[in-house]
Amino acid sequence: MRAPGPPDQFSPYDAATQPAALVPDYKETLTRNPARALIARPATLTEITGPTHLARKLPTGMRDLSRKNPDGPRAMGQHILVRGRLLDEDGLPVRGSVIELWHANAAGRYLHPMDAQSPAPLDDNFLGSGRVLTDQEGRYEFVTVKPGAYPVPNHAERWWRPPHIHISVFGEGFMSRLVTQMFFPGDPLNEVDLILNAVPDAKGRARMVARQTAMMDMPVLNMVGYEHDIVVRGERSTPFEKPHA
Ligand SMILES: [Fe+2]
């Protein structure tokens, strides 16, 4: 694997494959994005390389969000298995990376105080978040339920988020982090989602949509499988997340 280095040594991505800074109708982009050009700050070895060994500081192994203990009842909804590879700009595996994920339950409600106003029900068996480690091939895998769609609060346009999974990936050091969202193929709400469509380029949007796999390939037959590779940098990098809902 290539040694850690400053971001400007990697092939740049086309800006159209990443979210636009300002999105009409998505008013949070006005308040959560800088109005002026950023000031470039050179990254030193301290920021590039450390702190390292994040897996020692962040417990991993929470790969099944669909139940609170191995013998307990499962959460409601369609059980799914999501797996993929974490790759660098050359298609090489990013090993030992901490991947965190969180999403709404099958009814479209988050297990979070900020979602307390939601009329959708909680699910006592749903964990809501997980954290896994990539293996030597850069692979990750987790079991969960397919999240439900939910309306974005305080939006006059009645904007509904399509089912999606929030994913955070750490690189070699704590300052190397990509936060993105994974979408499900074929959902009609994908076409009108302001966050997915904040990425102007169709190729960029496609990098945020998982691929459904043959169900016979699943370890448990009642799970639907999804493959989703994440590229952390370079011209094929997965779009990062703008202020999320
Ligand atoms: Fe969300």
Side-chain angles (χ1 to χ4, degrees):
M1 186 190 299
R2 184 192 298 221
D8 60 7
Q9 82 176 47
F10 305 117
S11 53
Y13 54 73
D14 180 347
T17 64
Q18 298 292 325
L22 298 176
V23 179
D25 301 328
Y26 183 14
K27 61 180 187 295
E28 287 82 358
T29 59
L30 287 170
T31 56
R32 297 180 187 170
N33 281 295
R36 298 182 184 178
L38 299 179
I39 299 172
R41 178 177 175 275
T44 67
L45 213 55
T46 305
E47 288 83 33
I48 294 167
T49 61
T52 55
H53 305 298
L54 291 173
R56 285 195 220 152
K57 303 176 176 69
L58 298 170
T60 55
M62 298 88 84
R63 62 175 292 279
D64 187 349
L65 284 67
S66 74
R67 52 186 173 181
K68 290 189 172 171
N69 62 67
D71 301 318
R74 292 209 187 254
M76 297 287 286
Q78 171 64 64
H79 296 128
I80 62 173
L81 186 144
V82 181
R83 64 188 177 193
R85 299 182 74 199
L86 188 63
L87 303 167
D88 70 11
E89 75 280 13
D90 296 321
L92 298 174
V94 181
R95 304 180 175 110
S97 177
V98 174
I99 297 186
E100 297 176 308
L101 58 128
W102 62 97
H103 64 83
N105 68 21
R109 178 162 174 179
Y110 282 96
L111 184 60
H112 193 278
M114 287 185 69
D115 213 17
Q117 82 286 357
S118 169
L122 289 168
D123 186 329
D124 288 341
N125 299 312
F126 179 58
L127 279 180
S129 62
R131 189 184 292 133
V132 296
L133 205 60
T134 58
D135 67 10
Q136 287 301 299
E137 297 295 321
R139 296 187 188 282
Y140 72 91
E141 181 178 293
F142 56 88
V143 169
T144 187
V145 295
K146 185 175 179 181
Y150 60 83
V152 177
N154 306 320
H155 253 266
E157 300 299 321
R158 295 182 63 81
W159 166 28
W160 278 72
R161 295 297 328 277
H164 62 279
I165 294 177
H166 296 265
I167 302 176
S168 161
V169 172
F170 285 108
E172 292 91 350
F174 194 72
M175 293 294 287
S176 172
R177 189 184 188 198
L178 174 75
V179 182
T180 184
Q181 294 184 19
M182 186 198 98
F183 294 82
F184 291 82
D187 195 296
L189 289 172
N190 287 350
E191 304 300 318
V192 294
D193 183 50
L194 296 181
I195 291 182
L196 178 58
N197 290 286
V199 177
D201 188 289
K203 293 191 300 295
R205 293 195 296 276
R207 293 172 197 160
M208 301 173 80
V209 181
R211 185 171 61 86
Q212 189 170 333
T213 58
M215 281 185 275
M216 293 303 289
D217 191 29
M218 293 297 104
V220 179
L221 285 177
N222 65 355
M223 288 181 184
V224 177
Y226 292 93
E227 297 269 0
H228 187 59
D229 292 345
I230 299 169
V231 180
V232 293
R233 63 193 180 201
E235 58 187 345
R236 292 187 297 276
S237 54
T238 303
F240 53 83
E241 180 181 300
K242 279 300 188 184
H244 65 270

